[in-house]
Amino acid sequence: MELTPRLQLAADFCLPCKAVIDVGCDHAYLCLYLVEQGTERAAASDIRPGPLEAAKAHIAACGRSDRVRAVLCPGLEAFGPEDADTVSICGMGGEMIASILEAAPWTATGDHKLVLQPMTNGHRLRKWLADNGYTIQREQLAREGHRLYVVLQARGGRKDACGAENGYLFTEKLLTDPLFPEYAGKLREKYEKSRAGKLSAGVDTSEEDEILKRLEEVSHGA
Ligand SMILES: C[S@@+](CC[C@H](N)C(=O)[O-])C[C@H]1O[C@@H](n2cnc3c(N)ncnc32)[C@H](O)[C@@H]1O
């Protein structure tokens, strides 16, 4: 089973694990890869019947129906803390990921590894994690074509290391990532554009100013 670099990084963060729930599994690639790597059992869940049927067919075609079960449900609604030691939620918006975690308070106890890959609004997810007692333990970038994706490994139980000092855009852990300079360049471009738009509309740009200042500092090793 070959994964794309983004899902491969998510899988690397999941491993080692004994039992995983992958929320928003789509074709169940992640679960199938993880059981191939020795994970004992996996639940591939999705809110939509279409992707879940595709997942079921794929699981059967790989001969893994004994170790990977497909579950139709929104978020973590059908699960409890005993169902997994690892939960992955990848390929969704940061706010959606936060709302899925919020609806499953057992993810905040610290007993579960959480692998999160926000497609958008990563800063909102980081802020939500910080405000709700989770810590980001690892953070890394993956490249697919011209796009960079960030993957987070988080755990409940503490209230720091979510990147507040960087406007919740990244934690210090990302600073040593070889892709970080390129990522920082993309962030700079985005916030410069947003600042210019706000300036021409006569709107306050203090948020952009703060972020651009911090990006300048980290690019000079501050
Ligand atoms: C873009 S795909 C990502 C698939 C895979 N996780 C990945 O990262 O490649 C998003 C999937 O999440 C599912 N999804 C969206 N919201 C969901 C929710 N609240 N609960 C469960 N699944 C959800 C969608 O149906 C879709 O299959």
Side-chain angles (χ1 to χ4, degrees):
M1 167 83 45
E2 283 240 343
L3 297 177
T4 63
R6 177 181 62 85
L7 275 183
Q8 183 64 56
L9 181 55
D12 293 345
F13 276 14
C14 286
L15 290 167
C17 58
K18 275 191 172 172
V20 67
I21 301 166
D22 182 31
V23 179
C25 66
D26 205 358
H27 286 75
Y29 293 127
L30 186 63
C31 288
L32 287 165
Y33 176 83
L34 291 172
V35 297
E36 195 179 272
Q37 298 300 311
T39 297
E40 288 170 15
R41 58 197 162 90
S45 86
D46 208 285
I47 196 171
R48 292 187 301 142
L52 203 77
E53 286 311 311
K56 272 186 193 163
H58 200 197
I59 294 163
C62 293
R64 295 290 194 187
S65 304
D66 54 336
R67 300 203 7 223
V68 185
R69 66 187 173 114
V71 180
L72 183 66
C73 78
L76 285 159
E77 216 168 80
F79 301 100
E82 66 289 352
D83 288 318
D85 54 34
T86 299
V87 173
S88 76
I89 315 176
C90 297
M92 291 181 210
E95 284 160 317
M96 172 61 76
I97 294 175
S99 76
I100 289 171
L101 293 175
E102 188 163 35
W106 53 267
T107 60
T109 58
D111 295 329
H112 300 82
K113 178 161 60 177
L114 308 172
V115 176
L116 313 172
Q117 192 272 304
M119 289 301 215
T120 54
N121 290 323
H123 61 299
R124 299 214 174 116
L125 173 61
R126 283 191 185 78
K127 181 164 178 1
W128 186 88
L129 291 170
D131 291 346
N132 290 277
Y134 297 77
T135 300
I136 293 173
Q137 299 178 310
R138 294 169 77 187
E139 180 171 17
Q140 206 175 312
L141 294 161
R143 179 209 293 288
E144 283 183 21
H146 66 282
R147 285 204 67 175
L148 293 177
Y149 298 95
V150 70
V151 181
L152 311 175
Q153 183 186 301
R155 200 175 271 276
R158 253 177 59 209
K159 289 192 180 183
D160 56 18
C162 287
E165 67 285 15
N166 303 312
Y168 293 105
L169 288 168
F170 48 88
T171 68
E172 302 299 301
K173 293 167 182 63
L174 212 57
L175 298 180
T176 51
D177 191 306
L179 292 173
F180 184 75
E182 189 181 336
Y183 188 63
K186 285 179 188 285
L187 287 175
R188 201 173 301 122
E189 219 170 87
K190 177 178 161 187
Y191 282 94
E192 271 165 2
K193 224 181 253 175
S194 151
R195 183 174 185 277
K198 282 191 176 176
L199 273 181
S200 62
V203 176
D204 174 46
T205 61
S206 51
E207 189 187 343
E208 284 76 8
D209 294 339
E210 272 297 306
I211 288 166
L212 288 166
K213 183 169 159 257
R214 184 64 189 136
L215 286 170
E216 190 64 25
E217 285 168 0
V218 295
S219 72
H220 291 102

